[in-house]
Amino acid sequence: MLLRVRVTLPDRPGTLGQVARTLGVSGADIVQVVVLERLGGRAVDDFTVVWPGAARVERLLAGLAAIPGVRVDGVWRAIGAPTTTGQDAELLAQVAANPADGLATLVDAVPGLLAADWAVAAVVPVDWASRTAGTGAATVGHASWRAPVPLRLPEVTPLRGRSMTTPDGTHHAIAPFGRAGLVLVVAREQSDTLSAAAFHSTEVDRLTQLVRASAVILGDRLDLVGAPPVVAGP
């Protein structure tokens, strides 16, 4: 299976090589490395690895923890193939080619791009700002195929992109479409054996850019999401 391993490490020569060697010795086959951040002498890297299904992840965690200055921020199962250059542009091209299904195309594709479990396009009530917390919950316009049923969404607002973690440990990335109270919510859930990392600011920025571009492409079609169906008269 594919795993995503997020590691914070000293940004100095040799440390990345130590991490890579430890992954290999533990049984992981590295297929991609993405640098999320380099700041103040520290780096945050995402490794996508092929991991033997029968192997215990504890061995991997112990090996990484033994490297001076290295911290494991999360290990979780990755859905789909590793991200490659041009995938975002290809997704937007698919949205533009078939606008009628554009929102569904975006929602279904985003979890694979961000190594997440599921995504939903949620419609936030127009009067969200005047409501008491916990009332007037957002409604679902479209959900990806792995979204749980029933679906419990966090308290979201249609104002800005951000990350958040709910009390059950589920990590969310949220990005507004900028119209009709529509917000894209992406989630990583915790499991009994793996612990996902929260969404990094670069991932939230990537999601926000995808959502904004899709909003420009889809335009007025977004105003119809979550609207009650029109019933023809007799």
Side-chain angles (χ1 to χ4, degrees):
M1 63 178 174
L2 280 179
L3 290 182
R4 185 67 61 90
V5 182
R6 180 165 300 171
V7 178
T8 297
L9 65 159
D11 188 14
R12 60 172 180 257
T15 305
L16 180 59
Q18 286 182 280
V19 171
R21 284 193 297 274
T22 299
L23 289 170
V25 169
S26 300
D29 181 13
I30 301 173
V31 294
Q32 186 181 58
V33 182
V34 176
V35 179
L36 296 176
E37 176 184 309
R38 297 181 70 179
L39 183 67
R42 304 284 289 175
V44 180
D45 294 349
D46 268 3
F47 295 82
T48 302
V49 303
V50 177
W51 182 252
R56 295 177 62 86
V57 176
E58 288 82 357
R59 179 185 178 189
L60 171 64
L61 298 177
L64 292 173
I67 304 173
V70 170
R71 183 184 74 234
V72 179
D73 296 327
V75 179
W76 68 103
R77 188 162 185 170
I79 305 301
T83 58
T84 58
T85 303
Q87 280 187 313
D88 291 7
E90 175 61 25
L91 173 56
L92 293 175
Q94 293 175 13
V95 172
N98 186 11
D101 295 325
L103 182 62
T105 299
L106 176 69
V107 172
D108 290 339
V110 159
L113 296 181
L114 295 180
D117 291 301
W118 51 266
V120 297
V123 181
V124 179
V126 175
D127 59 344
W128 64 271
S130 62
R131 297 187 180 223
T132 303
T135 66
T139 58
V140 176
H142 182 81
S144 67
W145 71 276
R146 289 176 56 90
V149 178
L151 183 63
R152 290 183 297 178
L153 292 174
E155 292 290 330
V156 297
T157 61
L159 295 182
R160 60 184 177 86
R162 68 189 190 282
S163 63
M164 64 183 299
T165 301
T166 50
D168 65 355
T170 301
H171 301 300
H172 297 87
I174 302 166
F177 284 84
R179 62 188 303 156
L182 194 61
V183 180
L184 187 59
V185 182
V186 188
R188 288 181 186 141
E189 297 181 333
Q190 306 292 354
S191 71
D192 294 337
T193 57
L194 301 175
S195 179
F199 287 92
H200 191 270
S201 59
T202 58
E203 295 177 301
V204 176
D205 289 344
R206 183 184 183 189
L207 178 66
T208 300
Q209 292 168 9
L210 279 170
V211 167
R212 286 176 178 171
S214 297
V216 172
I217 294 170
L218 297 176
D220 294 343
R221 291 178 182 272
L222 295 178
D223 297 333
L224 304 177
V225 178
V230 177
V231 179

